[in-house]
């Protein structure tokens, strides 16, 4: 029997079984401000995340994940 995932809040709506989201951003700061709370919520709930980014962005990305409150204001 296939289990149905629980709905999760995102962007003022509820994501149900099909959890595909597409977004366009004007800057990296806008992207992090929008997506970081969603990523952190998932990690805090025990979900896994796979992030693909260039090596020269890795340390900044890890820092934003470690400290999402201060980085969301950039």
């Amino acid at each position: 029997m296939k289990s149905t995932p629980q709905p999760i809040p995102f962007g003022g709506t509820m994501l149900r079984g099909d959890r595909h989201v597409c977004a366009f951003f004007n800057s990296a700061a806008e992207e992090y401000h929008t997506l970081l709370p969603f990523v952190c919520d998932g990690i805090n709930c025990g979900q896994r995340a796979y992030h693909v980014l260039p090596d020269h962005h890795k340390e900044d990305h890890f820092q934003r994940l470690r400290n999402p409150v201060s980085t969301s204001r950039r």
Side-chain angles (χ1 to χ4, degrees):
M1 184 162 101
K2 186 176 179 182
S3 65
T4 304
Q6 293 294 317
I8 55 174
F10 182 73
T13 188
M14 296 299 282
L15 297 179
R16 306 214 184 277
D18 296 324
R19 296 181 178 175
H20 299 274
V21 177
C22 179
F24 298 93
F25 304 100
N26 293 313
S27 67
E30 184 181 52
E31 179 180 0
Y32 273 103
H33 178 77
T34 303
L35 296 179
L36 195 59
F38 177 69
V39 171
C40 289
D41 283 349
I43 291 170
N44 291 337
C45 290
Q47 299 294 314
R48 296 179 183 182
Y50 187 84
H51 300 229
V52 178
L53 59 149
D55 282 341
H56 63 278
H57 289 279
K58 193 163 49 172
E59 277 308 310
D60 178 59
H61 185 69
F62 286 150
Q63 182 60 35
R64 290 174 188 260
L65 289 172
R66 283 186 207 104
N67 194 7
V69 174
S70 65
T71 60
S72 65
R73 294 185 200 131
R74 286 185 182 177

